[in-house]
Amino acid sequence: TAGDAVNPLFQLPNTAPSVATVAHPTFRTDIRPGDTRINKIAARTTRLSRQGLSSNDDVVLYPTQTSPIPAIKREELLLIAAEANANTGKLPLAVVQINKVGNAYGLPDYTGPITAADLTEEILYQRRYSLFFEGQRWVDLRRLNKLDKLNVPGTSLPEKLATGQQTIVLKQLPIPFQEIAWDTANPQ
């Protein structure tokens, strides 16, 4: 309606604005056949490169500039519950919850090993694709001590920029200067 804010995450596909969001190339290569969440990205007509990183895929999660942005989705709640159940020994219930999410996107029921570790890996897969573009992947991998999943397969290093410079995967984010200044000025 009039006066409503536009969706700041919307972008036109195949454009090259000063700030463009593209999907990491592994989003396409790691997704399972039949997983309809592939529709969250779209192939670009020309590769977009920024600061030594590049991609052939735009993020097309929001079709219009008035598309709503959900604060939390049912599938996120299901995956949180599945992880809690996997970690407390309720493995069959975790599988049911995982399947509810996967089936909604065209995937068959989970048929892998039924252990907490294996179900956690499946939950990470489901969270990666269900919560794409919501800032959860790094948080999930960090809290589970699995940041090495961001490394180039078969190596102990993250990817390199086109310039040859080695990237790094942060284990923690720095404290913003404003917070440090506040704490200094307002000791508890």
Side-chain angles (χ1 to χ4, degrees):
T1 63
D4 197 5
V6 297
N7 182 330
L9 303 176
F10 167 76
Q11 69 179 19
L12 289 171
N14 284 310
T15 59
S18 60
V19 178
T21 305
V22 293
H24 193 276
T26 60
F27 187 89
R28 182 177 294 280
T29 60
D30 292 352
I31 200 164
R32 296 177 185 152
D35 193 329
T36 59
R37 291 172 287 195
I38 193 69
N39 294 332
K40 293 181 177 188
I41 63 171
R44 294 181 56 80
T45 54
T46 58
R47 188 172 190 82
L48 183 65
S49 296
R50 292 280 197 273
Q51 300 177 340
L53 298 172
S54 61
S55 176
N56 287 324
D57 293 303
D58 278 323
V59 174
V60 292
L61 196 55
Y62 301 104
T64 72
Q65 64 182 2
T66 58
S67 298
I69 302 172
I72 193 163
K73 298 182 283 193
R74 180 175 183 267
E75 60 201 288
E76 182 174 5
L77 296 173
L78 282 167
L79 293 170
I80 289 169
E83 186 174 348
N85 286 320
N87 290 331
T88 57
K90 299 173 188 161
L91 304 178
L93 183 54
V95 172
V96 168
Q97 292 161 328
I98 290 168
N99 287 339
K100 283 182 181 179
V101 174
N103 294 164
Y105 293 103
L107 294 176
D109 284 350
Y110 175 77
T111 58
I114 310 292
T115 67
D118 289 308
L119 292 179
T120 297
E121 289 301 315
E122 181 63 17
I123 291 165
L124 281 174
Y125 172 85
Q126 296 297 336
R127 286 180 63 86
R128 176 183 184 186
Y129 288 97
S130 285
L131 306 179
F132 173 67
F133 202 55
E134 295 182 22
Q136 293 293 326
R137 183 154 164 76
W138 179 84
V139 173
D140 286 341
L141 296 176
R142 181 179 181 265
R143 71 185 170 79
L144 295 170
N145 198 26
K146 295 179 178 276
L147 284 172
D148 60 332
K149 285 184 164 287
L150 298 175
N151 292 340
V152 174
T155 74
S156 61
L157 296 172
E159 62 194 325
K160 288 187 177 187
L161 300 175
T163 61
Q165 183 179 5
Q166 183 66 57
T167 62
I168 60 170
V169 175
L170 296 174
K171 294 190 185 322
Q172 64 186 30
L173 298 176
I175 299 172
F177 174 76
Q178 292 82 355
E179 285 187 35
I180 294 171
W182 173 266
D183 289 344
T184 302
N186 301 287
Q188 298 293 339

